[in-house]
Amino acid sequence: MVNVGILGSGFIAASYAEALQDVRDAEIVAHFSRSAARADEFSAKWAPRSTAVASVDELCARDDVDLVVIALPNEAHLEAVRSAAAHAKGVICTKPLARTADEAAEMVRLVVDSGVFAGYAESSVFSPNVAKAHEMVERGGIGDLVWMRAREAHSGPHAPHFWDAGTAGGGALLDMGCHTVESARTLFGKDNPITEVMAWGGTLVHQGRTSGEDSALALLRFADGGMASIESSWIEKGGMQLRHEMVGTDGRIVTDSSSTSVWGFLGKPVGYLVEKADSDTGWVYPVPEETRVYGFSQLMRHFVDAFRTGTSPKETFVDGWVVNVVLDACYRSMRTRQWEPVDYSAVPGSPVYLGA
């Protein structure tokens, strides 16, 4: 068994805990929350045999913890990785890896220097829809991939800390664009780097609530000339929207992770229906088995298996760093209103990215 410690008790921590129930070789043995009441709720619902601890460092120092899962706000990722690396614990970090490429590079350095296992928990590439599309693209089903369109939208984050862009590191683009940047890298090939970007971001609805953008568009140009357009939005009512469209020289593939075979008109609420649902009555579109539909279960199975066998995971901290480098370039483009190069060597202490 792989003994897991979870840092956090919010929505993403609960999603990871539920996903770990699908992993027969893993067990949650410890968890940390900044709120004692939420720690108790987390134990009762997801890990009744888990021990609640008082600090990040206490969890990382425990002899019975093998693998630390970071499900904390963006600003807490670096110090959590520092603690896990200091105690020689394997680590899985939620997305985005960091707030900036500089911060991400330091996280890569910490895990490389300590020699610990490190997985970047980018769920989109593990979702069954995107994984199947990737398989069809790799097998040449649509010829050469030339364009990808991706869109993730909902009405805004669960937790209040996301709305403070100064602390979180950015707005909707950092929060959601990290998903679509990595799915684009996966579909076009990680040996085919993004070389330049053009981006726009604005606050269209949530003025006064966020200091960052609630809407963003970005164009990503790859070394082989391929293009991706990604849209990130915190202004859409009606639940999560998550769609990819791949256009090739011989075909086209579409995925829609928000589509569902269950829908209905409810006169009375029945409880939780779907992530980011803005109404629990009227026409509703619940998504059954969300942790599997969004790739959390597959992600956790993959990381636990890679940790057990001592193999490198499909998504590493270097992948998370690359995403931060690309997003940093997008934020520069928002300011300059022009194409910006993606320079992987410009980050102090940056990891070697062989495709750049």
Side-chain angles (χ1 to χ4, degrees), residues 22 126-128 289-298 301:
D22 278 345
F126 289 94
S127 70
E289 302 286 358
E290 276 187 293
T291 54
R292 294 184 179 130
V293 170
Y294 296 148
F296 294 120
S297 295
Q298 296 87 339
R301 282 200 297 268

Side-chain angles (χ1 to χ4, degrees), residues 80-96:
V81 169
R82 195 183 306 281
S83 179
H87 293 289
K89 298 298 168 67
V91 62
I92 298 169
C93 186
T94 192
K95 66 81 198 173

Side-chain angles (χ1 to χ4, degrees), residues 101-102 104-106 108-109 321 344-352:
D102 285 320
E106 174 65 7
V108 173
R109 186 193 66 77
W321 167 78
Y344 301 95
S345 65
V347 180
S350 62
V352 175

Side-chain angles (χ1 to χ4, degrees), residues 145-167:
L145 181 63
V146 295
W147 193 288
M148 187 205 83
R149 304 179 183 96
R151 179 169 176 269
E152 184 169 350
H154 53 61
S155 58
H158 298 285
H161 57 80
F162 280 105
W163 295 99
D164 181 357
T167 302

Side-chain angles (χ1 to χ4, degrees), residues 122-133 242 244 255 257 292-296 298-299:
E122 175 42 72
S123 57
S124 67
V125 300
F126 289 94
S127 70
N129 286 347
V130 175
K132 186 63 178 179
L242 183 54
H244 291 77
T255 74
S257 298
R292 294 184 179 130
V293 170
Y294 296 148
F296 294 120
Q298 296 87 339
L299 175 153

Side-chain angles (χ1 to χ4, degrees), residues 294-316:
Y294 296 148
F296 294 120
S297 295
Q298 296 87 339
L299 175 153
M300 283 298 169
R301 282 200 297 268
H302 171 77
F303 282 142
V304 169
D305 185 59
F307 178 78
R308 287 178 59 251
T309 57
T311 55
S312 180
K314 290 195 297 186
E315 289 290 316
T316 70

